[in-house]
Every structure is written in C-alpha cells, then in structure tokens.
Amino acid sequence: KQEVTQIPAALSVPEGENLVLNCSFTDSAIYNLQWFRQDPGKGLTSLLLIQSSQREQTSGRLNASLDKSSGRSTLYIAASQPGDSATYLCAVSSGGSYIPTFGRGTSLIVHP
Amino acid sequence: DADVTQTPRNRITKTGKRIMLECSQTKGHDRMYWYRQDPGLGLRLIYYSFDVKDINKGEISDGYSVSRQAQAKFSLSLESAIPNQTALYFCATSGDKGWEQYFGPGTRLTVT
C-alpha cells in the first residue's frame, strides 16, 4: 500500500524566504505526483502535476521536482509572500487504478 | 462558473437523519471521487466512480452510499448520520487515469 509523508507538518517563515516542502512515498512505481494548495476551509487547488517520466515542473515562483528512485518530491517556493500562506498537499497516483494517495500536508505561514 | 460544484456548502443535521451531498461537474470528466477530510487525518477516499456504470468503495465506505446519476453528477448519501461523520467532504474529478484532479469547494457537515 502506498504511503505518502510530508515534512515538515508546519512551517512559519518571514516574507521573502525561499522554501522547500518535502513529500516522500513508499512505492516508487508511480504514475504521477500532484501538488495542491488548500486555504483554510476551502477546496484544493492544483498547483503542479508531474508525470512519472518527468523530473520537474515549473509555474511562476513554484518548482516541483520528482525523484522516483528515492521516492521523493520537493516543492520549491521562491521569494515567499504572505499570500502563499496555506496548506500544501502532495498526492501520488500509483497502482492499477491510479487512485491518488494524499499526504497530510504542510501548513505554511508566511509573515510580513 | 466553477467547474466542480457541491451542494449544500454547509449542513447541520441530527443523529439518525439521512443526508445527501451532491456534486456536479462541467469538465466532461469520467472519473469522480468523494473524500472526507478530518483534522490530523488528511484526505480519505470514500467512493469513486470511473464511469456511470462503475462504482467502487474507497478506504472508508462504511455508513455511506453513492449514486452516479449521469457523467456529470455524483451524489453521496449518509443513510443514518452519526456524530463521527462530522467532517469536510470534497468531490473531485479527473479525466483518464493519471490525469490532473480537480476539487469542488467542499461541504462542511456537522452531525449533532
């Protein structure tokens, strides 16, 4: 059974810092990995989707990398802003049905 | 207009009542999912459907049932609500296997 772990569980940083959020998974036979953002009490918004054949994806200040062999993905946020404050979740699709397995998320606070 | 909508957005009900949560999507996706989110437990899959004639149990289906009325509509029912079903419920869709997942805004359900 696929297990997804996100470290750290919570993070508080001053505005302007470059951040790295980590996601690890136990079964490297994945189909893809997706990073989401969730604001308190709201739905999940897709940030980046990395297919298993890809090493990274970029969108604006966000960059996600994937290392299947080591079972790891990182989400890099450049020049963090207070508006980046949210919970970030990663989800890994694997197995015959490609159902995503979610991590518990990293709660990020960026203070001015 | 939102691609994935959920109704109601908030609901308070009493123990033993039957509740239906509805999900509609305009993305034309075949795959639809129901999740619940609890603090500290992350997202857990309740049911999923790969097309109108395909319904599958997720990891926590006890106490829940679903109906896929059309490609665009997927409803979740609690036959006899109990307090530990108090949670945030999300509907999600995706295209073919391994495609990006899109989430609705969520339904906050409280069972007293």
Side-chain angles (χ1 to χ4, degrees), chain B residues 59-90:
Chain B
E59 60 180 298
I60 55 162
S61 59
D62 287 348
Y64 301 94
S65 62
V66 290
S67 173
R68 185 80 184 265
Q69 299 96 324
Q71 185 203 39
K73 296 184 181 297
F74 193 35
S75 300
L76 176 71
S77 293
L78 287 66
E79 298 301 326
S80 180
I82 56 177
N84 76 1
Q85 291 177 314
T86 293
L88 193 52
Y89 289 84
F90 289 106

Side-chain angles (χ1 to χ4, degrees), chain B residues 22-70:
Chain B
E22 298 184 334
C23 176
S24 294
Q25 52 111 348
T26 58
K27 298 194 72 68
H29 287 166
D30 286 328
R31 297 184 165 212
M32 298 188 73
Y33 313 78
W34 275 106
Y35 293 91
R36 67 177 278 176
Q37 187 177 40
D38 300 273
L41 294 179
L43 278 162
R44 292 183 291 168
L45 183 64
I46 306 172
Y47 272 94
Y48 61 100
S49 169
F50 287 168
D51 64 40
V52 175
K53 296 181 180 180
D54 178 79
I55 302 289
N56 304 280
K57 292 182 178 181
E59 60 180 298
I60 55 162
S61 59
D62 287 348
Y64 301 94
S65 62
V66 290
S67 173
R68 185 80 184 265
Q69 299 96 324

Side-chain angles (χ1 to χ4, degrees), chain A:
Chain A
K1 179 185 174 184
Q2 180 73 272
E3 293 182 3
V4 180
T5 303
Q6 292 188 245
I7 295 173
L11 188 61
S12 180
V13 300
E15 183 177 5
E17 281 202 3
N18 299 323
L19 307 173
V20 175
L21 308 182
N22 297 293
C23 173
S24 61
F25 44 94
T26 54
D27 183 355
S28 62
I30 69 170
Y31 197 80
N32 63 33
L33 184 146
Q34 193 168 0
W35 281 94
F36 294 89
R37 169 187 172 135
Q38 184 178 25
D39 292 293
K42 306 290 187 182
L44 281 69
T45 300
S46 178
L47 297 173
L48 292 163
L49 174 71
I50 310 176
Q51 301 293 348
S52 62
S53 58
Q54 298 175 317
R55 295 298 300 270
E56 65 178 339
Q57 282 283 352
T58 298
S59 176
R61 294 183 294 108
L62 305 179
N63 176 276
S65 66
L66 174 63
D67 183 344
K68 276 200 318 178
S69 61
S70 66
R72 294 180 183 179
S73 175
T74 60
L75 179 67
Y76 177 82
I77 303 176
S80 59
Q81 303 170 357
D84 295 329
S85 298
T87 297
Y88 292 81
L89 297 99
C90 72
V92 176
S93 291
S94 57
S97 61
Y98 303 93
I99 300 294
T101 300
F102 283 81
R104 297 186 179 186
T106 294
S107 176
L108 172 66
I109 296 175
V110 181
H111 49 87

